[in-house]
Amino acid sequence: MQNLYSVLIGLMVAGSAFAKDAAVTVTLDPDCIRNIGGVTQFSRKQFITIHETFGSIDFADEDVRYLEEDLEVEYGRDGGLIPWFAQNAEADPDNPDTFNEADVVAFAAELRANTSDFRLVPENTAETVLCMHPEWMHGTPTNDFRPWGPRSYQTTAEFIETTLKAMWPDGEGMPKYLEVLNEPFIHRKRNGHHIDDLSEQHNVVAEHLHQTVPDLMVGGYCAAWVDVEGGDFNHWNSQQKRFMDIAGHNMDFWSYHIYDGVNVKGTPSSRVGSNSEAVMDIVDSYSFIKFGKAKPILISEFGGIPRGNMNVVPYDSARSAHMIRSTMGQLITFMDHPDRLLKVVPYFLGKATWTYDLVDDYEPGNANPFLLWRRQADGFFVKTDLVKYYEFWKGLNGEWRRAVSSNPDIRVQLLADGNVLNVVLMNIDTKAQIVKLDGLAEMEPRTVVMRTLRTDGEGPVLANKFVDRIPDELSLALGETVMLRIFLKEPIAPSEEVKETRHYATEYLKPIHAGQPVRYVIEGVPTGRGSAVLRVSVGRKREKSVMPESVRFNGHSLEIPDNWAGDQGKRGNFFGVTEFQIPMDFVKSVNEIDLVYPDDGGRAACAVLQVNRFSEK
């Protein structure tokens, strides 16, 4: 939780219902289906994933069964399959500037023959996100990764097509998603590449594959470093926007990576909560402005990057606890957007024996911090504490039901799964919180199980226990996540539904001048019975006021909160979503918003209106 930097604004909002010392109340409404942009069912394939795949050659079959069957983990992302095929393809004897297709077909047959059938279940392999590394697969005349390059964008596109069709000749089980390149802009200078050229490769690959593999979704640019507000949004303009302007018309989705800590470069940061929400909202907003729709987003890496990054280091349980806390905080926030996010993949690896080769002076017993299994000095593998992340989410399924928190630092999700009601809460604040639960007092459960995961000590602590009743109140430690599994005598039949829809302003990236209104207009908004939330993403220096001194919505003054989700740590700028509650009576088809800030600098980057309309079932 962050407090305002301006004493003036603090005085103005002292009476706010969101004041930081107010008791936190979570209101649970299991009778009401939560329809999020048309999505009502939780999907583990979307949210409970790992940065591994069916092709991970360092997994024994029992390792795969443990992930798939015991932990119920779904496949995530594969950056090695396409380059692996390339390494096994020689140049075409008749054309040295392209590959020998027969080699690709032969390697596919060999790979399938040597892979256990249960690893190749089509409904699982189809969920894999494929990507390629630019240092290998960016088609340039000087590319010498293989004797045939690839030395052109078209050759790269044709190689991807050939690989997919050779591996999945009837299309069944073929991966649904392709990121053309992995983090291409961050390493472009080292690789001698340029943003415009890298973006143009996305165009050529997408155009070719949309014709030849029409069911494949192609996206990018797989940003490594989403400090979009850097340099008064110059980072945004020169990278994400630049990519969208060049290749966006051919993209089926946008993709990026988002981490607490530092991913390659940038300032140490916490992105949990308001920041990760703002990154999504600005991408959505420009997508809507440029293309008439907010194309979906695929977050192909997220979590927490510890000091040392990808180095091979001594094991540290406390470090694992911090990594889990970051990953949990981002995930429970992502769960509010199943309509916007195709898939989210935490950067957790399995055994990943390739990581031991990243250092020249490897010391036996040390390991990469992102592993679920680490190799000990004696050569045997043992599980790491990161496994507890997946153990916590084991068994979670169901239909979204309505749940509301009075404090954005207490995140909540409610899922009805047959006769089991799952209540998930997480404290993303920087201090412990007491949370009152409202809405379940009349229930008479058969059994209640409380699962907790704490990350504020010397290591992550996962616990399960039976409790004799549904608690009225919970104490959540810093970074703690709790799941109440309430077993009922029969399923809860819903009596109503709330439909959540998002609506975007017609402009974005407006500069802030002290005392002068920043106006946004949001059109085509449905009305009815319910509520609404205005989401304003603001990017400013840390010494500036995060909240405006006034917000007028269709001429009505809105209450100004003094809190937002999460703590952005040591970032030099604040970039995050600030939310304002709106009575539904204020909402019209066309809505005018005026924001007034007390000081100069920064930008009100975008405005999004979430409308929650209720209807009887």
Side-chain angles (χ1 to χ4, degrees), residues 20 33 79 104 127 130 146-147 154-155 190 203 225 236 247 249 258 346 420 422 507 585 594:
K20 64 181 183 299
I33 294 174
V104 179
E127 288 299 319
L130 297 177
R146 299 296 297 137
Q154 184 63 29
T155 299
R190 183 188 69 191
N203 273 331
W225 182 35
W236 162 266
H249 61 290
I258 188 163
V420 182
N422 298 290
E507 301 174 279
D585 291 345
D594 289 305

Side-chain angles (χ1 to χ4, degrees), residues 602-614:
R603 294 177 186 268
C606 57
V608 180
L609 184 63
Q610 177 177 316
V611 176
N612 312 309
R613 291 176 295 150
F614 288 86

Side-chain angles (χ1 to χ4, degrees), residues 487-549:
F487 293 82
L488 305 168
K489 295 176 183 178
E490 57 186 24
I492 298 174
S495 59
E496 64 178 347
E497 178 179 80
V498 59
K499 293 183 178 179
E500 300 178 10
T501 54
R502 294 288 181 85
H503 308 275
Y504 304 94
T506 54
E507 301 174 279
Y508 86 134
L509 274 191
K510 294 202 169 186
I512 294 171
H513 301 291
Q516 298 183 21
V518 177
R519 170 160 287 196
Y520 278 117
V521 177
I522 301 178
E523 303 174 340
V525 178
T527 59
R529 180 171 63 93
S531 63
V533 180
L534 174 65
R535 295 161 58 96
V536 177
S537 295
V538 61
R540 315 194 75 187
K541 293 294 184 182
R542 291 301 289 261
E543 66 270 15
K544 302 291 184 177
S545 296
V546 170
M547 290 292 180
E549 61 184 10

